[in-house]
Amino acid sequence: NFMLTQPHSVSESPGKTVTISCTRSSGSIASNYVQWYQQRPGSSPTTVIYEDNQRPSGVPDRFSGSIDSSSNSASLTISGLKTEDEADYYCQSYDSSNHGEVFGGGTKLTVL
Amino acid sequence: QVQLQESGPGLVKPSQTLSLTCTVSGGSISSGSYYWSWIRQPAGKGLEWIGRIYTSGSTNYNPSLKSRVTISVDTSKNQFSLKLSSVTAADTAVYYCARGARDGYNSDYWGQGTLVTVSS
């Protein structure tokens, strides 16, 4: 099995761009899809990116996802930040070794 | 629009068994394209995957919880359930049920979550 490591927190100003990383501890980041979930306070998580870089309908194109095999990490990029983007963000991936799922520890995004 | 709703006791005594049910509406739980999961979140902490069930009845569990977890499905009621035995205060959390896509392991629909407190 493996771990997904995210920064504990990031902050940026409205209108700017922020990138949140998710680094896989072992095995290739490309071996299983990565999802990104947004969780606002008091709410259930919702998908903002699935299968590495796909956006569900209704998610603005300000949200984008990518993977980088050289750093063995996935990234969530949010451009044109809005105050409504302030939330916790979690990456998640499938673990083929035990058919489980692994979540990153979450990143608190502050837009100020 | 698929909706999931968790139900069950909000308070469980230590050493007892936590039991929750997730009722699915707006779609059939028998769809072969999906699986059904339980995920939990202690207050102020991150998400922890508990396990999943396919409508065939096949299950996968988090290795750290496997000895205490049972997930089952009742297709006639469009429900699936979680049982977690020998609970302690460390099992206090918001418990979510969710639908996952078999081809990418994205959980695309989640319940609102239910808080379960383990206390005497």
Side-chain angles (χ1 to χ4, degrees), chain A residues 37 39 44 47 92 99 101, chain B residues 35 41 52 105-107 111:
Chain A
Y37 300 98
Q39 186 179 34
S44 305
T47 306
Q92 171 258 339
H99 306 291
E101 294 178 30
Chain B
Y35 59 83
Q41 184 173 37
R52 75 167 73 84
Y105 295 94
N106 170 44
S107 293

Side-chain angles (χ1 to χ4, degrees), chain A residues 1 33 35 37 39 43-47 49-51 90 92 94 98-105, chain B residues 35 37 39 41 45-49 52 60-61 63 96 103-108 110-113:
Chain A
N1 23 4
Y33 287 127
Q35 276 66 238
Y37 300 98
Q39 186 179 34
S43 296
S44 305
T46 61
T47 306
I49 293 291
Y50 68 99
E51 294 180 5
Y90 294 90
Q92 171 258 339
Y94 176 70
N98 58 19
H99 306 291
E101 294 178 30
V102 179
F103 284 96
Chain B
Y35 59 83
S37 294
I39 297 152
Q41 184 173 37
K45 296 189 178 181
L47 300 167
E48 180 181 32
W49 180 75
R52 75 167 73 84
N60 302 113
Y61 299 132
Y96 295 100
D103 56 357
Y105 295 94
N106 170 44
S107 293
D108 57 357
W110 296 62
Q112 66 184 29

Side-chain angles (χ1 to χ4, degrees), chain A residues 17-39:
Chain A
T17 297
V18 70
T19 297
I20 300 171
S21 62
C22 171
T23 302
R24 178 166 168 157
S25 61
S26 61
S28 172
I29 190 71
S31 60
N32 301 101
Y33 287 127
V34 174
Q35 276 66 238
W36 289 93
Y37 300 98
Q38 176 191 70
Q39 186 179 34

Side-chain angles (χ1 to χ4, degrees), chain A residues 53-102:
Chain A
N53 54 19
Q54 301 300 301
R55 264 190 325 274
S57 60
V59 173
D61 61 6
R62 301 185 296 105
F63 289 80
S64 63
S66 63
I67 62 168
D68 180 356
S69 295
S70 65
S71 59
N72 213 36
S73 65
S75 294
L76 171 68
T77 299
I78 311 171
S79 61
L81 277 169
K82 300 184 177 184
T83 54
E84 68 202 46
D85 298 331
E86 194 162 281
D88 294 326
Y89 291 85
Y90 294 90
C91 59
Q92 171 258 339
S93 191
Y94 176 70
D95 186 345
S96 305
S97 68
N98 58 19
H99 306 291
E101 294 178 30
V102 179

